[in-house]
Amino acid sequence: MRSAFSLSALVALGLLFSASRASAQPITNEEIPEPLRAWVPWALHGEATYGCSLAPGGVPRCDWPSSLRLEVDETEARFALEVTVDRRFDVPIPGSSERWPIEVRVDGQRATVLGADAPYVRLAAGAHRIEGRFRWSVVPETLPIPPEIARVDLVRLGVVVPRPQRGASGEVWLESAEREASDEDGVTLEVHRRIADGMPLDVETAITVRASGRSRELALGDVLLAGSTPVELSAELPVRFTESGELTVQVRAGTYELRIRAYRPDPEGELTPPSLPSPWPDQEIWVWAADESFRQVELSGAPAIDPQRTSIPDEWRSLPVYLVANDAHLTLHTLRRGEQLAPPNQVTLHRELWLDVDGTGYTVRDQIGGQMHRSHRLELSEGDLGRVSTGGRDQLITVGEEGPGVEVRSEQLDMTAE
């Protein structure tokens, strides 16, 4: 009885955690039935990122760093970092093996700094404030900063550096204004969407961000098509959706791409781009991926353009492209549903004939190729069928309405008949 209960408990617990992953919301300990709670540590063994937000492909993202404040003078630097973590997690902090942080505190309490080459602290789930300092006799040129931290507020000798310069690996330059970026603050966006027909519509949005000047947080608003639900998000910058559905990005100087995949349950009617303030562009470029097996659609309301004159991703260039202004819409009108008629079979035949020695008959070998779209059986209307092979494997010969033949299990034909 104990073994049977244990097995059923494991199955039930597995179903509970599977359901929570499907909904992207972890269940609480109180929601787990009492007999199963003892199995929770076993079920979560090795699942270091259970409960974290999911990025594309189910990759978890457990931490969300806010801005880093860095105050530098001739003998030391002090830093403060606000960070939120979804569960117990190792959060990287400024520093390196050559420049190790000291007097690190988390929420005012002394904390142990872990790591060998790159320092980090281990935090429980929730919002935290990490503080620490560095000491030196000579101010270094740069200070290593985790690349996950996009915003850095730098104060040099009591003077705010409006646009601190970052290196390729995220490090921040600590020199005076000679190293300060001279570009003005600016952000431009390009928005491309790929709409794949089906039930539901599959909408992938690609946003190219070109930023200059200082690091900062940018609230873009609700960037999805009306009625869409985001299911996947990938970005080269720290990015998240707020509870109200607005997209927030921490930008720094450079060019970056964000990809958002969303589902729209209603595949009918009009698709309208969001009307958002600057820097959101006045027009977007959309591509349409039809699914003729689902339905045939007529598109209207937006002009078609040459894909070669756009900057859409290369994998989208074979699709129809439309220019959609923010006050326009793309209308989907269904002409028919489902595939009207399957195309006819396309069969090629190469035949060899050998005359019998006595001249009373002959032997035939057929090499048959092509594609089968409708019927999936080939029959011999006259004569005797001795042997049939497909892909080098002999096939079972059966008798049908017109004579002996074989069932075709694949759409692609590669058959020998004698």
Side-chain angles (χ1 to χ4, degrees):
M1 291 296 293
R2 179 175 299 177
S3 298
F5 171 77
S6 299
L7 180 59
S8 61
L10 294 181
V11 172
L13 190 61
L15 291 175
L16 283 174
F17 283 108
S18 298
S20 70
R21 286 190 169 212
S23 63
Q25 294 293 333
I27 60 177
T28 63
N29 193 58
E30 290 73 18
E31 293 175 313
I32 300 175
E34 181 63 34
L36 301 182
R37 292 180 187 174
W39 292 95
V40 170
W42 179 90
L44 294 182
H45 179 72
E47 295 287 342
T49 56
Y50 175 78
C52 298
S53 301
L54 296 182
V59 178
R61 177 66 185 269
C62 299
D63 64 324
W64 175 257
S66 183
S67 62
L68 171 71
R69 181 175 178 83
L70 189 61
E71 300 179 0
V72 180
D73 58 33
E74 298 298 338
T75 60
E76 68 174 13
R78 297 168 299 280
F79 70 86
L81 173 64
E82 306 281 349
V83 62
T84 301
V85 293
D86 292 333
R87 60 159 296 150
R88 185 177 177 87
F89 193 70
D90 295 337
V91 176
I93 61 176
S96 65
S97 57
E98 293 80 16
R99 191 70 61 187
W100 197 257
I102 60 174
E103 300 179 18
V104 175
R105 293 177 177 269
V106 174
D107 301 328
Q109 302 296 320
R110 286 189 175 274
T112 301
V113 180
L114 306 173
D117 298 327
Y120 64 88
V121 292
R122 186 161 293 166
L123 301 181
H128 302 278
R129 179 181 176 86
I130 307 172
E131 299 173 288
R133 65 177 62 217
F134 300 90
R135 287 182 179 159
W136 46 60
S137 56
V138 178
V139 179
E141 286 189 343
T142 63
L143 181 66
I145 302 293
E148 296 89 348
I149 301 175
R151 295 178 56 196
V152 176
D153 299 329
L154 178 61
V155 180
R156 179 81 161 85
L157 298 176
V159 179
V160 176
V161 179
R163 291 180 291 275
Q165 185 176 2
R166 302 286 296 274
S169 300
E171 68 274 14
V172 62
W173 288 90
L174 300 183
E175 292 182 344
S176 61
E178 297 176 3
R179 285 286 184 180
E180 185 180 334
S182 60
D183 294 338
E184 295 294 331
D185 293 343
V187 175
T188 59
L189 303 177
E190 285 187 3
V191 180
H192 305 131
R193 300 187 197 265
R194 177 185 179 273
I195 304 170
D197 199 13
M199 178 64 82
L201 289 179
D202 187 343
V203 183
E204 183 177 1
T205 302
I207 304 174
T208 302
V209 181
R210 295 183 177 88
S212 61
R214 61 185 176 87
S215 300
R216 55 206 180 277
E217 188 170 87
L218 186 64
L220 297 180
D222 188 353
V223 303
L224 302 179
L225 301 185
S228 300
T229 301
V231 295
E232 196 172 281
L233 172 63
S234 65
E236 299 171 334
L237 291 169
V239 58
R240 69 172 2 179
F241 279 104
T242 65
E243 292 183 0
S244 61
E246 295 186 350
L247 183 67
T248 301
V249 185
Q250 292 184 6
V251 299
R252 60 178 182 266
T255 301
Y256 310 93
E257 185 179 68
L258 287 66
R259 292 266 184 136
I260 307 167
R261 187 177 179 186
Y263 288 146
R264 188 175 188 268
D266 183 8
E268 305 289 346
E270 298 179 349
L271 301 180
T272 304
S275 181
L276 299 172
S278 179
W280 198 259
D282 295 334
Q283 55 190 19
E284 303 177 10
I285 297 176
W286 295 3
V287 300
W288 173 256
D291 183 357
E292 293 293 332
S293 63
F294 174 60
R295 62 173 177 171
Q296 184 180 10
V297 177
E298 180 183 57
L299 304 179
S300 62
I305 59 175
D306 182 0
Q308 303 306 319
R309 297 181 178 273
T310 68
S311 56
I312 60 175
D314 291 340
E315 63 269 24
W316 297 358
R317 292 187 177 275
S318 61
L319 301 172
V321 181
Y322 299 88
L323 183 64
V324 185
N326 59 10
D327 58 350
H329 56 263
L330 190 66
T331 302
L332 310 181
H333 176 62
T334 302
L335 300 180
R336 63 167 174 80
R337 292 193 176 277
E339 193 169 3
Q340 188 172 14
L341 282 177
N345 295 333
Q346 297 177 347
V347 180
T348 60
L349 174 65
H350 176 74
R351 173 166 287 175
E352 296 179 353
L353 295 92
W354 290 276
L355 185 64
D356 294 346
V357 176
D358 58 8
T360 59
Y362 54 86
T363 301
V364 180
R365 172 180 290 175
D366 291 338
Q367 295 286 346
I368 305 172
Q371 291 183 328
M372 300 287 286
H373 298 293
R374 296 184 182 178
S375 173
H376 291 277
R377 178 178 172 82
L378 291 178
E379 294 183 347
L380 182 67
S381 57
E382 295 183 9
D384 297 323
L385 189 57
R387 176 176 176 268
V388 178
S389 64
T390 301
R393 301 183 63 179
D394 289 343
Q395 301 297 308
L396 177 66
I397 299 174
T398 58
V399 178
E401 295 180 357
E402 297 186 9
V406 294
E407 300 295 327
V408 180
R409 303 299 183 185
S410 173
E411 183 176 307
Q412 194 70 32
L413 277 176
D414 179 15
M415 182 180 294
T416 301
E418 299 178 357

